[in-house]
Amino acid sequence: MSRLLVIGCGGVAQVAIQKCAQNKEVFTEMCIASRTVSKCDAMKEKLEGQGYPIKITTAKVNADDAADVARLIKEYKPDAVLNVALPYQDLAIMDACLECKVDYIDTANYEPEDTDEPVWRAAYEKRCKEKGFTAYFDYSYQWAYMDKFKEAGITGLLGTGFDPGVTSVFTAYAKKHYFDRIDYVDILDCNGGDHGYAFATNFNPEINLREVSANGSYWEDGHWVETKPMEIKREYNFPEVGQKDMYLLHHEEIEALGRNFPEIKRIRFFMTFGQSYLDHMRCLEDVGMLSTTPINFEGKEIVPIQFLKALLPDPASLGPRTVGKTNIGCIITGVKDGKEKTIYIYNVCDHQECYKELGSQAISYTTGVPAMIGTALVLTGKWKKPGVYTTDEFDPDPYMEMLNEYGLPWVVDEAPVLVD
Ligand code: NDP
């Protein structure tokens, strides 16, 4: 029996909300709050039409404003807040949770909307020099809440989507059940889906394009090695999807795994991209459309990447058009009982199956299901621990069981092909 406040009602949120409704034992009441309240009302209507017993209300909130979030928390009195808005809002929502002493859960780590803001920029440039990677996002802002969350007796569960989220749980599960020591982790994110558009992104275009147009990096022997964007390319034959080109990217779970499993010698992250996506992205970048710096256009200030977002298809609308499968998982090499071994833990998810079940494509589905699972584990006390943690810092077993139960079954292959 619990009461959840969900902030955001986009592609990922819509899956998380429907999955919470399916998990009747844990989620009994929910407030869906977002900037555009009509989306929350439509979701409430859909669930009520399907006869779910969960009691739903909706609200308007500006999650950039901690005081507005705190106002809503005081009004609704939830047991936890699930943030499935954008990474820009993470700190404001964490501040509100701290003020109201309520548990906090999200799926992506903080990055600022305005990367030219001078105070943030100075700290960023210092961090680039000290740590050796240049991504706009990193965990330092949220890890800084550790002591404050401990003192308040509340849990902050960070990054419970698929990657980050499930990939970190896969690593913790491998350590618990398959290895005495892990040496190498390769995280492979393959989207074999086709939506029929020449160019579209599968989740929020602004966040997605910022991530994939940035420098790549990997963790090796206790430090970051940075690469140019898309500099390292490999091919891999993915189970149930087939042969794909994949590229090394910086990704946030590498930072947490590198810190929490210091034994790991190398952690890399690869994502598949088709040639059409890469050609469009390069062209948009060359003409300045991926810029986050505002420009003046006919007397009005616009941010190019936000304007581009308005032109691109809404990721939540890709569901009916997308066919094919995703395959996301980890190839892990280490030592057990003195012998070297490798396993590949992965999930395969079918875009059309997701659409049939919830009206969403597989990228939203593979993120929204783990968002519900992490929230349920915090609410039931299985993953409740005052402080701020990533998903690799808890017992992986209940999470792995719930992945099977709620639509993301996984496979362990004990003789996979390695990535060179
Ligand atoms: P969408 O853009 O589809 O949805 C974002 C939602 O947040 C919208 O409902 C939007 O409202 C709302 N929102 C934005 N700003 C505010 C604000 N200031 N106040 C209140 N509500 C706001 O994004 P996605 O669903 O694709 O992504 C959601 C999150 O999931 C992101 O943080 C993304 O990085 C993360 N993600 C994580 C993955 C993982 O595997 N870990 C994978 C994919 C995504 P409006 O409707 O008005 O725009």
Side-chain angles (χ1 to χ4, degrees):
M1 296 270 287
S2 56
R3 206 170 156 86
L4 178 69
L5 171 61
V6 179
I7 300 185
C9 196
V12 172
Q14 289 176 22
V15 172
I17 290 163
Q18 293 181 80
K19 283 289 169 181
C20 288
Q22 287 179 9
N23 188 347
K24 299 182 190 105
E25 287 76 40
V26 175
F27 300 94
T28 45
E29 291 178 45
M30 181 192 295
C31 174
I32 310 170
S34 191
R35 183 167 57 185
T36 310
V37 81
S38 56
K39 288 190 194 170
C40 310
D41 291 336
M43 185 45 58
K44 170 178 154 73
E45 216 169 281
K46 178 175 176 183
L47 288 171
E48 285 174 350
Q50 290 171 342
Y52 283 108
I54 188 165
K55 210 171 132 199
I56 300 173
T57 54
T58 63
K60 187 173 173 58
V61 71
N62 174 12
D64 288 318
D65 178 4
D68 198 38
V69 180
R71 169 203 54 81
L72 180 59
I73 296 176
K74 284 174 194 160
E75 223 170 86
Y76 186 66
K77 299 189 175 50
D79 300 306
V81 175
L82 170 60
N83 166 17
V84 262
L86 297 177
Y88 309 148
Q89 284 90 44
D90 286 3
L91 303 186
I93 300 176
M94 288 179 84
D95 284 335
C97 285
L98 197 56
E99 183 187 330
C100 304
K101 296 195 171 35
V102 175
D103 294 332
Y104 168 88
I105 299 108
D106 72 25
T107 65
N109 72 7
Y110 172 70
E111 69 180 271
E113 187 162 10
D114 178 6
T115 53
D116 294 322
E117 196 278 313
V119 175
W120 180 84
R121 192 85 206 173
Y124 164 76
E125 276 161 14
K126 185 163 172 276
R127 188 267 279 161
C128 291
K129 278 201 200 104
E130 281 170 8
K131 291 207 176 162
F133 68 96
T134 54
Y136 286 145
F137 51 88
D138 73 78
Y139 274 113
S140 64
Y141 292 90
Q142 292 181 279
W143 281 339
Y145 284 73
M146 177 61 101
D147 290 343
K148 290 184 269 186
F149 268 49
K150 272 187 183 164
E151 274 162 34
I154 57 173
T155 303
L157 177 62
L158 308 181
T160 179
F162 206 105
D163 43 339
V166 176
T167 49
S168 304
V169 175
F170 282 171
T171 307
Y173 183 79
K175 179 70 201 273
K176 181 171 177 185
H177 296 285
Y178 287 87
F179 295 99
D180 299 323
R181 186 187 82 219
I182 294 180
D183 292 326
Y184 301 103
V185 177
D186 278 333
I187 301 163
L188 309 191
D189 179 332
C190 164
N191 181 6
D194 181 4
H195 43 57
Y197 288 117
F199 186 71
T201 64
N202 292 294
F203 67 98
N204 183 285
E206 198 180 327
I207 306 297
N208 180 246
L209 290 166
R210 272 189 182 201
E211 175 179 282
V212 303
S213 59
N215 283 338
S217 73
Y218 58 97
W219 182 252
E220 191 166 51
D221 297 328
H223 62 87
W224 291 96
V225 181
E226 189 153 77
T227 69
K228 293 273 164 255
M230 309 291 168
E231 184 183 330
I232 298 184
K233 176 185 172 186
R234 297 284 187 271
E235 278 178 29
Y236 199 79
N237 193 2
F238 288 91
E240 296 191 47
V241 176
Q243 190 86 9
K244 294 276 172 198
D245 292 341
M246 59 183 191
Y247 298 83
L248 185 137
L249 296 187
H250 175 84
H251 222 250
E252 64 199 64
E253 63 267 58
I254 303 179
E255 192 186 359
L257 290 171
R259 182 188 81 157
N260 298 333
F261 295 80
E263 71 200 44
I264 305 181
K265 294 186 183 119
R266 190 187 65 206
I267 311 169
R268 301 184 296 186
F269 181 97
F270 291 92
M271 190 178 274
T272 62
F273 295 103
Q275 201 51 48
S276 172
Y277 182 97
L278 293 177
D279 291 344
H280 279 78
M281 198 181 74
R282 193 164 304 126
C283 177
L284 290 165
E285 189 165 29
D286 286 348
V287 297
M289 283 301 289
L290 302 190
S291 169
T292 55
T293 305
I295 58 152
N296 200 290
F297 179 72
E298 295 186 344
K300 194 175 175 346
E301 203 171 72
I302 60 167
V303 176
I305 198 167
Q306 287 175 359
F307 180 68
L308 175 65
K309 178 181 182 237
L311 293 175
L312 290 174
D314 178 355
S317 73
L318 298 177
R321 316 172 46 104
T322 309
V323 292
K325 293 177 182 176
T326 61
N327 178 325
I328 318 176
C330 302
I331 299 179
I332 300 171
T333 299
V335 172
K336 179 77 178 171
D337 300 329
K339 281 197 203 122
E340 183 167 291
K341 65 184 284 190
T342 299
I343 65 166
Y344 184 13
I345 315 184
Y346 62 86
N347 160 262
V348 174
C349 192
D350 185 305
H351 284 283
Q352 280 301 303
E353 293 297 321
C354 298
Y355 186 68
K356 268 188 239 149
E357 185 193 328
L358 300 182
S360 300
Q361 34 86 354
I363 304 301
S364 303
Y365 191 95
T366 53
T367 311
V369 171
M372 178 283 285
I373 293 174
T375 307
L377 291 175
V378 171
L379 283 169
T380 53
K382 290 182 185 149
W383 277 24
K384 183 145 177 69
K385 180 161 77 167
V388 173
Y389 305 95
T390 44
T391 57
D392 50 281
E393 296 182 88
F394 294 92
D395 178 7
D397 292 355
Y399 199 106
M400 294 293 275
E401 279 163 27
M402 287 181 78
L403 287 170
N404 283 332
E405 194 183 338
Y406 284 95
L408 295 176
W410 41 273
V411 173
V412 179
D413 174 355
E414 298 205 37
V417 174
L418 297 180
V419 179
D420 62 19

